[in-house]
Amino acid sequence: MRIDIITVSPELIRSPFEHSIVKRAIDKGLTEVYFHNLHEYGLGNYRQIDDTQFGGGAGMVMMIEPIDACISKLQAERTYDEIIYMTPDAKTLNQSTANTLSLQENLIILTGHYKGVDQRVRDKFITKEISIGDYVLSGGELAAAVLCDSIIRLIPGVLGDETSALTDSFQDNLLSPPVYTRPSEYKGLKVPEVLLSGNFPKIDTWRSEKAMERTQQIRPDLLDEPL
Ligand code: ADE
C-alpha cells in the first residue's frame, strides 16, 4: 500500500511513522508513506496556501490552487482508490473503515488547517472525509497519523502474530476483555483463577463474557452497530 499525505507541516507528522509497528511495516516494504509539503505548491513568492474567507469571518481558508496542483501531480503518476480529507465535520473513524482502507492500494490523505479547505476542494477531489472524534485538533496531521496507524497495522504481514489484530477491541464490535501477566498475585490482587487453569475452552468463554460485560457497561452503542 502507498499513502501520500498532503500537509502544511510535514515535521509534525513524521515521527509516528518512525517507530514501532508502523516503522516495521515501512521497513518490510509492506507500505510506503510519502509526505508532500503544500507550501511547495503555494502561490507567488510567499508560497501562499490560504486566504481570508469570502463573506467575512475569522480564520483563514486553504485555497484550492495549491491543493489541486499537488493532487493532480500525484494523480498523473498513479490511480488512487480514495482521496481522504481529515476534518472534524465528518463521520467518525471506526474499525470497519480501517479494515476497508487497509485493503486499498493507493491513498491520498489531505490534512486541513485553520478554518479548513475551500469547499470546492471537497466537492471536486475528496472521495472520503474522516474525523477521529468529536473534538477539534489544531490541524489534521495528528488525525492522519491516527488513521494511518489504524490502517497499516491491519495490512497482512505487518503484525508478527497474525491473529493479534483479530482479537483487538472493536474487531467484533466488542471491547477487549481484561488481560493479566505475572505475578499471579500482587499485594493481595489475584489473577482470575480461570486464566491459570489451562482449560482453554473455559478461558475463551470467560473472555467472551468479560468482553460482553465491558461493552454493555462502557459502550452499549457498539452492540447496535453492523459488523
Ligand atoms: N482536524 C481537526 N480536528 C480533527 C478531527 N477531530 N478529526 C480529523 N481531523 C481533524
Short mmCIF file of all heavy atoms in Angstrom, two decimals, residues 44-97:
data_model
loop_
_atom_site.label_atom_id
_atom_site.label_comp_id
_atom_site.label_asym_id
_atom_site.label_seq_id
_atom_site.Cartn_x
_atom_site.Cartn_y
_atom_site.Cartn_z
N GLY A 44 2.79 32.37 -5.65
CA GLY A 44 3.62 33.57 -5.57
C GLY A 44 4.90 33.37 -4.77
O GLY A 44 5.24 32.26 -4.37
N ASN A 45 5.59 34.52 -4.56
CA ASN A 45 6.88 34.47 -3.87
C ASN A 45 6.75 33.97 -2.44
O ASN A 45 7.67 33.39 -1.89
CB ASN A 45 7.51 35.88 -3.83
CG ASN A 45 7.97 36.27 -5.22
OD1 ASN A 45 8.11 35.41 -6.09
ND2 ASN A 45 8.18 37.57 -5.42
N TYR A 46 5.58 34.21 -1.84
CA TYR A 46 5.39 33.82 -0.44
C TYR A 46 4.82 32.41 -0.31
O TYR A 46 4.52 31.96 0.78
CB TYR A 46 4.49 34.83 0.28
CG TYR A 46 5.14 36.18 0.40
CD1 TYR A 46 4.75 37.24 -0.42
CD2 TYR A 46 6.15 36.39 1.34
CE1 TYR A 46 5.37 38.47 -0.33
CE2 TYR A 46 6.78 37.63 1.43
CZ TYR A 46 6.39 38.67 0.60
OH TYR A 46 7.00 39.87 0.69
N ARG A 47 4.65 31.75 -1.44
CA ARG A 47 4.12 30.37 -1.42
C ARG A 47 2.81 30.31 -0.64
O ARG A 47 2.63 29.45 0.25
CB ARG A 47 5.15 29.42 -0.79
CG ARG A 47 6.44 29.36 -1.56
CD ARG A 47 6.28 28.37 -2.67
NE ARG A 47 7.43 28.28 -3.54
CZ ARG A 47 7.36 27.97 -4.82
NH1 ARG A 47 6.21 27.79 -5.40
NH2 ARG A 47 8.43 27.85 -5.55
N GLN A 48 1.94 31.23 -0.97
CA GLN A 48 0.68 31.36 -0.22
C GLN A 48 -0.22 30.14 -0.43
O GLN A 48 -0.40 29.66 -1.55
CB GLN A 48 -0.05 32.61 -0.70
CG GLN A 48 -1.25 32.95 0.15
CD GLN A 48 -1.99 34.18 -0.38
OE1 GLN A 48 -1.53 34.85 -1.31
NE2 GLN A 48 -3.13 34.46 0.21
N ILE A 49 -0.76 29.64 0.66
CA ILE A 49 -1.64 28.47 0.57
C ILE A 49 -3.04 28.73 1.15
O ILE A 49 -3.92 27.90 1.06
CB ILE A 49 -1.04 27.25 1.31
CG1 ILE A 49 -0.65 27.63 2.73
CG2 ILE A 49 0.14 26.67 0.56
CD1 ILE A 49 -0.86 26.52 3.69
N ASP A 50 -3.20 29.90 1.79
CA ASP A 50 -4.51 30.16 2.40
C ASP A 50 -4.88 31.64 2.22
O ASP A 50 -4.05 32.45 1.85
CB ASP A 50 -4.50 29.80 3.89
CG ASP A 50 -3.44 30.56 4.67
OD1 ASP A 50 -2.63 31.28 4.05
OD2 ASP A 50 -3.42 30.45 5.90
N ASP A 51 -6.15 31.93 2.46
CA ASP A 51 -6.61 33.31 2.31
C ASP A 51 -7.83 33.50 3.21
O ASP A 51 -8.40 32.52 3.72
CB ASP A 51 -6.96 33.57 0.84
CG ASP A 51 -6.74 35.04 0.46
OD1 ASP A 51 -6.78 35.90 1.37
OD2 ASP A 51 -6.53 35.30 -0.74
N THR A 52 -8.24 34.77 3.35
CA THR A 52 -9.42 35.06 4.18
C THR A 52 -10.68 34.51 3.50
O THR A 52 -10.70 34.32 2.29
CB THR A 52 -9.58 36.58 4.37
OG1 THR A 52 -9.57 37.18 3.08
CG2 THR A 52 -8.43 37.15 5.20
N GLN A 53 -11.70 34.28 4.30
CA GLN A 53 -12.89 33.66 3.69
C GLN A 53 -13.86 34.68 3.10
O GLN A 53 -14.04 35.76 3.65
CB GLN A 53 -13.60 32.74 4.67
CG GLN A 53 -13.88 33.25 6.04
CD GLN A 53 -14.62 32.19 6.87
OE1 GLN A 53 -15.55 31.55 6.39
NE2 GLN A 53 -14.21 32.02 8.11
N PHE A 54 -14.44 34.32 1.98
CA PHE A 54 -15.50 35.14 1.38
C PHE A 54 -16.66 35.21 2.35
O PHE A 54 -17.00 34.21 3.00
CB PHE A 54 -15.98 34.53 0.06
CG PHE A 54 -15.05 34.75 -1.10
CD1 PHE A 54 -14.60 33.68 -1.85
CD2 PHE A 54 -14.63 36.04 -1.43
CE1 PHE A 54 -13.75 33.88 -2.93
CE2 PHE A 54 -13.77 36.25 -2.51
CZ PHE A 54 -13.33 35.17 -3.25
N GLY A 55 -17.28 36.38 2.42
CA GLY A 55 -18.43 36.54 3.31
C GLY A 55 -18.02 36.97 4.70
O GLY A 55 -18.87 37.18 5.57
N GLY A 56 -16.72 37.07 4.94
CA GLY A 56 -16.22 37.52 6.24
C GLY A 56 -16.18 36.40 7.25
O GLY A 56 -16.62 35.29 6.98
N GLY A 57 -15.57 36.69 8.38
CA GLY A 57 -15.46 35.66 9.43
C GLY A 57 -14.00 35.40 9.76
O GLY A 57 -13.13 35.56 8.90
N ALA A 58 -13.77 35.00 11.02
CA ALA A 58 -12.40 34.78 11.48
C ALA A 58 -11.82 33.51 10.86
O ALA A 58 -12.57 32.58 10.54
CB ALA A 58 -12.40 34.65 13.00
N GLY A 59 -10.51 33.49 10.70
CA GLY A 59 -9.83 32.27 10.27
C GLY A 59 -9.59 32.21 8.78
O GLY A 59 -10.39 32.69 7.99
N MET A 60 -8.44 31.63 8.44
CA MET A 60 -8.03 31.52 7.04
C MET A 60 -8.56 30.20 6.46
O MET A 60 -8.76 29.23 7.17
CB MET A 60 -6.51 31.52 6.95
CG MET A 60 -5.86 32.73 7.57
SD MET A 60 -6.22 34.22 6.63
CE MET A 60 -4.86 34.20 5.46
N VAL A 61 -8.73 30.23 5.14
CA VAL A 61 -9.22 29.03 4.44
C VAL A 61 -8.14 28.57 3.46
O VAL A 61 -7.55 29.39 2.76
CB VAL A 61 -10.53 29.36 3.68
CG1 VAL A 61 -10.98 28.18 2.83
CG2 VAL A 61 -11.62 29.76 4.66
N MET A 62 -7.89 27.29 3.41
CA MET A 62 -6.87 26.78 2.49
C MET A 62 -7.40 26.85 1.06
O MET A 62 -8.51 26.40 0.77
CB MET A 62 -6.48 25.35 2.87
CG MET A 62 -5.68 25.32 4.17
SD MET A 62 -5.54 23.68 4.90
CE MET A 62 -4.50 22.87 3.71
N MET A 63 -6.58 27.41 0.16
CA MET A 63 -7.02 27.68 -1.21
C MET A 63 -7.00 26.42 -2.08
O MET A 63 -6.23 25.49 -1.84
CB MET A 63 -6.10 28.72 -1.85
CG MET A 63 -6.18 30.07 -1.17
SD MET A 63 -5.23 31.31 -2.08
CE MET A 63 -3.59 30.72 -1.85
N ILE A 64 -7.80 26.47 -3.14
CA ILE A 64 -7.91 25.28 -4.00
C ILE A 64 -6.68 25.08 -4.91
O ILE A 64 -6.28 23.94 -5.16
CB ILE A 64 -9.22 25.31 -4.84
CG1 ILE A 64 -9.47 23.94 -5.50
CG2 ILE A 64 -9.22 26.44 -5.83
CD1 ILE A 64 -10.85 23.79 -6.12
N GLU A 65 -6.06 26.19 -5.38
CA GLU A 65 -5.00 26.01 -6.39
C GLU A 65 -3.84 25.13 -5.93
O GLU A 65 -3.46 24.20 -6.64
CB GLU A 65 -4.44 27.36 -6.88
CG GLU A 65 -5.39 28.17 -7.72
CD GLU A 65 -5.94 29.34 -6.95
OE1 GLU A 65 -6.38 29.13 -5.78
OE2 GLU A 65 -5.94 30.45 -7.49
N PRO A 66 -3.23 25.42 -4.74
CA PRO A 66 -2.10 24.58 -4.34
C PRO A 66 -2.50 23.11 -4.15
O PRO A 66 -1.75 22.20 -4.51
CB PRO A 66 -1.65 25.19 -3.00
CG PRO A 66 -2.22 26.57 -2.99
CD PRO A 66 -3.47 26.51 -3.78
N ILE A 67 -3.71 22.91 -3.61
CA ILE A 67 -4.16 21.54 -3.36
C ILE A 67 -4.40 20.83 -4.69
O ILE A 67 -4.00 19.67 -4.89
CB ILE A 67 -5.43 21.54 -2.48
CG1 ILE A 67 -5.09 22.14 -1.10
CG2 ILE A 67 -6.01 20.14 -2.34
CD1 ILE A 67 -6.30 22.37 -0.20
N ASP A 68 -5.02 21.54 -5.63
CA ASP A 68 -5.25 20.99 -6.97
C ASP A 68 -3.90 20.60 -7.60
O ASP A 68 -3.74 19.48 -8.13
CB ASP A 68 -5.97 22.03 -7.85
CG ASP A 68 -6.31 21.50 -9.24
OD1 ASP A 68 -5.97 20.34 -9.54
OD2 ASP A 68 -6.88 22.26 -10.04
N ALA A 69 -2.92 21.50 -7.49
CA ALA A 69 -1.61 21.23 -8.11
C ALA A 69 -0.99 19.96 -7.53
O ALA A 69 -0.47 19.11 -8.27
CB ALA A 69 -0.68 22.43 -7.91
N CYS A 70 -1.05 19.82 -6.23
CA CYS A 70 -0.43 18.66 -5.57
C CYS A 70 -1.18 17.37 -5.90
O CYS A 70 -0.57 16.37 -6.31
CB CYS A 70 -0.39 18.91 -4.06
SG CYS A 70 0.48 17.63 -3.19
N ILE A 71 -2.51 17.41 -5.76
CA ILE A 71 -3.29 16.19 -6.03
C ILE A 71 -3.18 15.80 -7.51
O ILE A 71 -3.01 14.62 -7.85
CB ILE A 71 -4.78 16.38 -5.62
CG1 ILE A 71 -4.90 16.47 -4.10
CG2 ILE A 71 -5.64 15.22 -6.14
CD1 ILE A 71 -6.32 16.67 -3.58
N SER A 72 -3.24 16.78 -8.40
CA SER A 72 -3.20 16.47 -9.84
C SER A 72 -1.85 15.86 -10.21
O SER A 72 -1.79 14.94 -11.05
CB SER A 72 -3.44 17.73 -10.67
OG SER A 72 -4.73 18.22 -10.39
N LYS A 73 -0.78 16.35 -9.59
CA LYS A 73 0.55 15.77 -9.87
C LYS A 73 0.56 14.29 -9.46
O LYS A 73 1.03 13.44 -10.21
CB LYS A 73 1.61 16.55 -9.09
CG LYS A 73 3.01 16.02 -9.27
CD LYS A 73 4.02 16.97 -8.65
CE LYS A 73 5.43 16.42 -8.76
NZ LYS A 73 5.71 15.39 -7.76
N LEU A 74 0.04 14.02 -8.28
CA LEU A 74 0.01 12.63 -7.80
C LEU A 74 -0.88 11.76 -8.69
O LEU A 74 -0.52 10.63 -9.06
CB LEU A 74 -0.48 12.58 -6.36
CG LEU A 74 0.48 13.17 -5.31
CD1 LEU A 74 -0.21 13.27 -3.95
CD2 LEU A 74 1.73 12.32 -5.21
N GLN A 75 -2.02 12.31 -9.08
CA GLN A 75 -2.96 11.52 -9.91
C GLN A 75 -2.41 11.25 -11.31
O GLN A 75 -2.79 10.27 -11.94
CB GLN A 75 -4.30 12.25 -10.02
CG GLN A 75 -5.17 12.09 -8.78
CD GLN A 75 -6.50 12.80 -8.91
OE1 GLN A 75 -6.56 13.92 -9.42
NE2 GLN A 75 -7.56 12.15 -8.47
N ALA A 76 -1.50 12.12 -11.75
CA ALA A 76 -0.89 11.89 -13.07
C ALA A 76 0.07 10.71 -13.01
O ALA A 76 0.38 10.09 -14.02
CB ALA A 76 -0.16 13.16 -13.52
N GLU A 77 0.53 10.39 -11.80
CA GLU A 77 1.52 9.31 -11.64
C GLU A 77 0.89 7.95 -11.38
O GLU A 77 1.46 6.91 -11.70
CB GLU A 77 2.47 9.67 -10.48
CG GLU A 77 3.38 10.86 -10.82
CD GLU A 77 3.99 11.52 -9.59
OE1 GLU A 77 3.77 11.04 -8.45
OE2 GLU A 77 4.68 12.52 -9.78
N ARG A 78 -0.29 7.94 -10.76
CA ARG A 78 -0.96 6.65 -10.45
C ARG A 78 -2.43 6.92 -10.14
O ARG A 78 -2.83 8.07 -9.95
CB ARG A 78 -0.27 5.93 -9.28
CG ARG A 78 -0.43 6.59 -7.95
CD ARG A 78 0.56 6.06 -6.96
NE ARG A 78 1.94 6.31 -7.36
CZ ARG A 78 2.53 7.51 -7.29
NH1 ARG A 78 1.87 8.56 -6.83
NH2 ARG A 78 3.75 7.67 -7.70
N THR A 79 -3.19 5.85 -10.09
CA THR A 79 -4.61 5.96 -9.75
C THR A 79 -4.77 5.77 -8.24
O THR A 79 -4.15 4.89 -7.66
CB THR A 79 -5.40 4.86 -10.49
OG1 THR A 79 -5.13 5.01 -11.87
CG2 THR A 79 -6.90 4.99 -10.26
N TYR A 80 -5.59 6.59 -7.65
CA TYR A 80 -5.83 6.48 -6.20
C TYR A 80 -7.21 5.89 -5.92
O TYR A 80 -8.18 6.25 -6.59
CB TYR A 80 -5.67 7.86 -5.54
CG TYR A 80 -4.22 8.25 -5.43
CD1 TYR A 80 -3.59 8.94 -6.46
CD2 TYR A 80 -3.46 7.85 -4.34
CE1 TYR A 80 -2.24 9.26 -6.39
CE2 TYR A 80 -2.12 8.16 -4.26
CZ TYR A 80 -1.51 8.86 -5.28
OH TYR A 80 -0.17 9.15 -5.20
N ASP A 81 -7.25 5.01 -4.92
CA ASP A 81 -8.52 4.39 -4.54
C ASP A 81 -9.39 5.37 -3.78
O ASP A 81 -10.61 5.38 -3.93
CB ASP A 81 -8.25 3.16 -3.65
CG ASP A 81 -7.38 2.16 -4.36
OD1 ASP A 81 -7.83 1.65 -5.40
OD2 ASP A 81 -6.25 1.90 -3.91
N GLU A 82 -8.76 6.15 -2.90
CA GLU A 82 -9.51 7.15 -2.13
C GLU A 82 -8.64 8.39 -1.95
O GLU A 82 -7.42 8.29 -1.78
CB GLU A 82 -9.86 6.63 -0.72
CG GLU A 82 -10.75 5.41 -0.67
CD GLU A 82 -12.23 5.71 -0.88
OE1 GLU A 82 -12.61 6.87 -1.19
OE2 GLU A 82 -13.02 4.76 -0.73
N ILE A 83 -9.30 9.54 -1.95
CA ILE A 83 -8.64 10.80 -1.57
C ILE A 83 -9.39 11.27 -0.32
O ILE A 83 -10.56 11.65 -0.38
CB ILE A 83 -8.69 11.85 -2.69
CG1 ILE A 83 -8.03 11.25 -3.95
CG2 ILE A 83 -7.99 13.13 -2.27
CD1 ILE A 83 -7.99 12.19 -5.14
N ILE A 84 -8.70 11.17 0.80
CA ILE A 84 -9.34 11.34 2.10
C ILE A 84 -9.01 12.71 2.67
O ILE A 84 -7.86 13.15 2.62
CB ILE A 84 -8.84 10.23 3.07
CG1 ILE A 84 -9.18 8.85 2.51
CG2 ILE A 84 -9.42 10.42 4.46
CD1 ILE A 84 -8.44 7.71 3.20
N TYR A 85 -10.01 13.36 3.22
CA TYR A 85 -9.80 14.65 3.89
C TYR A 85 -10.07 14.47 5.38
O TYR A 85 -11.14 13.99 5.76
CB TYR A 85 -10.73 15.70 3.28
CG TYR A 85 -10.70 17.04 3.97
CD1 TYR A 85 -9.49 17.68 4.25
CD2 TYR A 85 -11.88 17.68 4.32
CE1 TYR A 85 -9.47 18.92 4.87
CE2 TYR A 85 -11.87 18.93 4.95
CZ TYR A 85 -10.65 19.53 5.21
OH TYR A 85 -10.63 20.76 5.84
N MET A 86 -9.08 14.82 6.21
CA MET A 86 -9.24 14.72 7.65
C MET A 86 -9.91 16.00 8.16
O MET A 86 -9.38 17.09 7.97
CB MET A 86 -7.87 14.56 8.35
CG MET A 86 -7.03 13.39 7.89
SD MET A 86 -7.85 11.79 7.89
CE MET A 86 -8.32 11.62 9.60
N THR A 87 -11.05 15.84 8.78
CA THR A 87 -11.80 17.01 9.26
C THR A 87 -12.72 16.61 10.40
O THR A 87 -13.24 15.48 10.39
CB THR A 87 -12.64 17.62 8.10
OG1 THR A 87 -13.51 18.63 8.62
CG2 THR A 87 -13.49 16.57 7.40
N PRO A 88 -12.92 17.50 11.39
CA PRO A 88 -13.85 17.12 12.46
C PRO A 88 -15.30 17.04 11.99
O PRO A 88 -16.12 16.37 12.62
CB PRO A 88 -13.67 18.23 13.50
CG PRO A 88 -12.98 19.35 12.82
CD PRO A 88 -12.27 18.79 11.62
N ASP A 89 -15.63 17.71 10.87
CA ASP A 89 -17.04 17.64 10.42
C ASP A 89 -17.23 16.51 9.41
O ASP A 89 -17.48 16.73 8.23
CB ASP A 89 -17.57 18.99 9.91
CG ASP A 89 -16.60 19.74 9.03
OD1 ASP A 89 -15.41 19.80 9.38
OD2 ASP A 89 -17.02 20.28 7.99
N ALA A 90 -17.06 15.29 9.92
CA ALA A 90 -17.22 14.11 9.07
C ALA A 90 -17.63 12.95 9.96
O ALA A 90 -17.69 13.08 11.18
CB ALA A 90 -15.89 13.79 8.38
N LYS A 91 -17.88 11.79 9.33
CA LYS A 91 -18.17 10.58 10.11
C LYS A 91 -16.94 10.16 10.88
O LYS A 91 -15.81 10.31 10.40
CB LYS A 91 -18.58 9.45 9.17
CG LYS A 91 -20.00 9.53 8.71
CD LYS A 91 -20.53 8.11 8.44
CE LYS A 91 -22.00 8.18 8.11
NZ LYS A 91 -22.35 7.44 6.92
N THR A 92 -17.16 9.60 12.06
CA THR A 92 -16.02 9.23 12.91
C THR A 92 -15.39 7.92 12.45
O THR A 92 -16.09 6.97 12.10
CB THR A 92 -16.50 9.06 14.37
OG1 THR A 92 -17.31 10.19 14.68
CG2 THR A 92 -15.34 9.01 15.33
N LEU A 93 -14.06 7.90 12.48
CA LEU A 93 -13.30 6.69 12.15
C LEU A 93 -13.71 5.53 13.05
O LEU A 93 -13.85 5.71 14.27
CB LEU A 93 -11.81 6.98 12.35
CG LEU A 93 -10.83 5.82 12.16
CD1 LEU A 93 -10.87 5.32 10.72
CD2 LEU A 93 -9.42 6.26 12.54
N ASN A 94 -13.90 4.36 12.46
CA ASN A 94 -14.11 3.16 13.28
C ASN A 94 -13.33 2.00 12.66
O ASN A 94 -12.70 2.15 11.60
CB ASN A 94 -15.60 2.84 13.45
CG ASN A 94 -16.28 2.60 12.12
OD1 ASN A 94 -15.63 2.31 11.12
ND2 ASN A 94 -17.60 2.73 12.10
N GLN A 95 -13.38 0.85 13.32
CA GLN A 95 -12.57 -0.29 12.88
C GLN A 95 -12.98 -0.78 11.50
O GLN A 95 -12.13 -1.20 10.71
CB GLN A 95 -12.67 -1.42 13.91
CG GLN A 95 -11.65 -2.51 13.72
CD GLN A 95 -10.22 -2.02 13.90
OE1 GLN A 95 -9.95 -1.22 14.77
NE2 GLN A 95 -9.32 -2.49 13.06
N SER A 96 -14.27 -0.67 11.21
CA SER A 96 -14.75 -1.13 9.92
C SER A 96 -14.13 -0.29 8.78
O SER A 96 -13.71 -0.84 7.75
CB SER A 96 -16.27 -1.07 9.95
OG SER A 96 -16.78 -1.00 8.68
N THR A 97 -14.05 1.03 8.98
CA THR A 97 -13.41 1.88 7.97
C THR A 97 -11.94 1.54 7.85
O THR A 97 -11.38 1.46 6.75
CB THR A 97 -13.59 3.37 8.36
OG1 THR A 97 -14.97 3.64 8.51
CG2 THR A 97 -13.01 4.30 7.32
#
